[in-house]
Amino acid sequence: MKCTVCRGPAVIDIRRHNSNFCVEHFTKFCSDQVERSIDEFEMFSPTDRILVAVSGGKDSLALWDILVRLGHDVTGLYIGLGIGDYSDQSAGFARRFAVARDLPLIEVSVPEEYGYDIPSGARAARRAPCSACGLSKRHIFDGVAIDGGFDVLATGHNLDDEAAVLFGNVLHWQTEYLGRQAPVLPERDGFPRKVKPLVRLGEREMAAYCVVTGIDYIVDECPMAAGNRHLHYKASLNLIEAASPGAKADFYLGFLRRAAGHFADEAAESRSTLGSCERCGQPSPSEVCAFCRLVERATPQPVDAPRRRDRVDAPADERVTS
Ligand code: Q46
Ligand code: ZN
Ligand code: ZN
């Protein structure tokens, strides 16, 4: 197998592009795809300060690496969720990545800061673990991005993730969600701009990127992910992709180009006017936001209301810089 660009030995084939690449040209292919998404969807400018949410997994670490290589100013944000060994190990991968490259990493521990961990907190609050986890992460992402003065929050959602979510939203015709399924969500009402620069790259490519560039990442999936319906959607799409290379990208990117606009009004209508949560100050449609209600139910004894933290000058122990 030869590289389509230089005819040297190829290390990966990308069937949907009908191409094979050597290490150098595969790395370039990944950077080019990210750059193309940033430009096409107007995600951010070269001078914007970017906060990238990192889990210690392949996608978020590869995204951080690519954005740094493209010359962007990027700070990592790792959230400790208290999911046993999985959290301990994933934190280690995020820290080692940051230290080895001398990159700033902000860490927030949900158990230490808010008094619950995801497995027991979700049980106490009678929520599915991923629902409690998603709510917690969104709250912390938003708070750190806004309080730290970042221009944009970037997450490592890839083509497989986004196609699977789209598949689920189409299967159940969740039109309000379809209207919001864009790789850029603009800043509004105290929420930061959110972007997904990996939407042109699949899981297999991100794993390969980490291998060829020497990024060590946590391979194990979160133990709480078992039974998540998106795993079934991903498996179904993988079967379709195997028989018809490019189907996944056509499905997702075609939706963005040709159909997403039809659902925009519906998404806008469903947005309520937001006030501020009386406890934490974050934007909320109700007096007390969903996150503060979760904290109240998830902690054995109500703790002091979580407050917005001053992220601009995060304490030294929350930054990993070597
Ligand atoms: S970390 Fe959290 Fe995921 Fe684990 S509990 Fe669910 S949402 S599966 S990205
Ligand atoms: Zn090559
Ligand atoms: Zn609140």
Side-chain angles (χ1 to χ4, degrees):
M1 190 164 76
K2 290 188 173 162
C3 173
T4 309
V5 181
C6 70
R7 311 306 297 161
V11 293
I12 188 166
D13 63 318
I14 312 282
R15 288 178 67 202
R16 72 174 182 283
H17 285 271
N18 208 13
S19 302
N20 310 314
F21 294 115
C22 67
V23 170
E24 180 192 340
H25 290 114
F26 174 62
T27 311
K28 182 169 186 317
F29 166 79
C30 292
S31 298
D32 288 350
Q33 294 297 310
V34 168
E35 222 172 359
R36 192 171 160 194
S37 296
I38 294 169
D39 291 346
E40 181 178 345
F41 300 110
E42 300 178 351
M43 292 184 172
F44 41 79
S45 71
T47 54
D48 279 345
R49 285 184 66 224
I50 301 165
L51 182 68
V52 63
V54 288
S55 65
K58 63 187 185 319
D59 303 300
S60 53
L61 293 182
L63 173 61
W64 196 359
D65 188 80
I66 292 170
L67 293 177
V68 168
R69 283 175 191 241
L70 289 173
H72 292 285
D73 172 357
V74 197
T75 295
L77 168 60
Y78 174 81
I79 299 178
L81 300 165
I83 306 178
D85 288 348
Y86 171 76
S87 286
D88 296 340
Q89 288 173 20
S90 57
F93 284 101
R95 284 180 199 137
R96 285 191 292 276
F97 178 94
V99 168
R101 292 158 184 80
D102 199 13
L103 296 170
L105 175 68
I106 296 172
E107 290 190 51
V108 178
S109 160
V110 172
E112 282 172 25
E113 194 127 336
Y114 299 106
Y116 67 96
D117 59 49
I118 294 302
S120 58
R123 262 195 312 277
R126 300 194 179 168
R127 293 185 83 123
C130 289
S131 154
C133 181
L135 178 58
S136 307
K137 288 194 290 194
R138 282 193 300 277
H139 177 91
I140 295 167
F141 290 160
D142 292 344
V144 174
I146 294 290
D147 294 349
F150 291 93
D151 297 295
V152 61
L153 171 75
T155 55
H157 295 95
N158 60 37
L159 175 60
D160 293 72
D161 298 323
E162 293 305 289
V165 171
L166 176 60
F167 195 48
N169 287 341
V170 169
L171 270 184
H172 301 291
W173 290 114
Q174 288 175 302
T175 50
E176 179 195 327
Y177 294 143
L178 286 170
R180 273 190 254 146
Q181 204 179 345
V184 177
L185 289 180
E187 178 180 352
R188 69 162 192 122
D189 294 341
F191 290 119
R193 189 179 346 142
K194 294 177 184 167
V195 299
K196 298 171 182 172
L198 295 184
V199 290
R200 292 181 173 280
L201 292 162
E203 261 169 27
R204 174 173 168 266
E205 288 130 43
M206 295 337 294
Y209 181 89
C210 288
V211 171
V212 302
T213 57
I215 296 173
D216 215 7
Y217 63 92
I218 186 159
V219 176
D220 293 342
E221 294 287 338
C222 170
M224 313 251 97
N228 187 318
R229 63 185 189 282
H230 286 113
L231 295 180
H232 303 301
Y233 300 150
K234 277 188 182 176
S236 306
L237 287 168
N238 284 343
L239 283 176
I240 297 170
E241 180 75 16
S244 175
K248 219 183 278 182
D250 280 351
F251 176 55
Y252 175 67
L253 298 171
F255 166 80
L256 293 180
R257 277 189 215 111
R258 298 178 199 174
H262 295 292
F263 302 99
D265 289 349
E266 199 149 346
E269 274 169 27
S270 71
R271 280 186 190 149
S272 38
T273 318
L274 299 177
S276 296
C277 168
E278 65 182 26
R279 295 193 189 169
C280 70
Q282 282 206 5
S284 167
S286 50
E287 282 179 7
V288 177
C289 76
F291 175 74
C292 288
R293 293 199 304 270
L294 168 69
V295 173
E296 193 167 51
R297 297 173 72 192
T299 44
Q301 306 218 317
V303 294
D304 282 349
R307 309 218 71 84
R308 277 198 165 175
R309 297 154 52 81
D310 180 359
R311 289 286 163 190
V312 180
D313 298 313
D317 63 352
E318 289 183 359
R319 286 172 182 268
V320 175
T321 50
S322 64

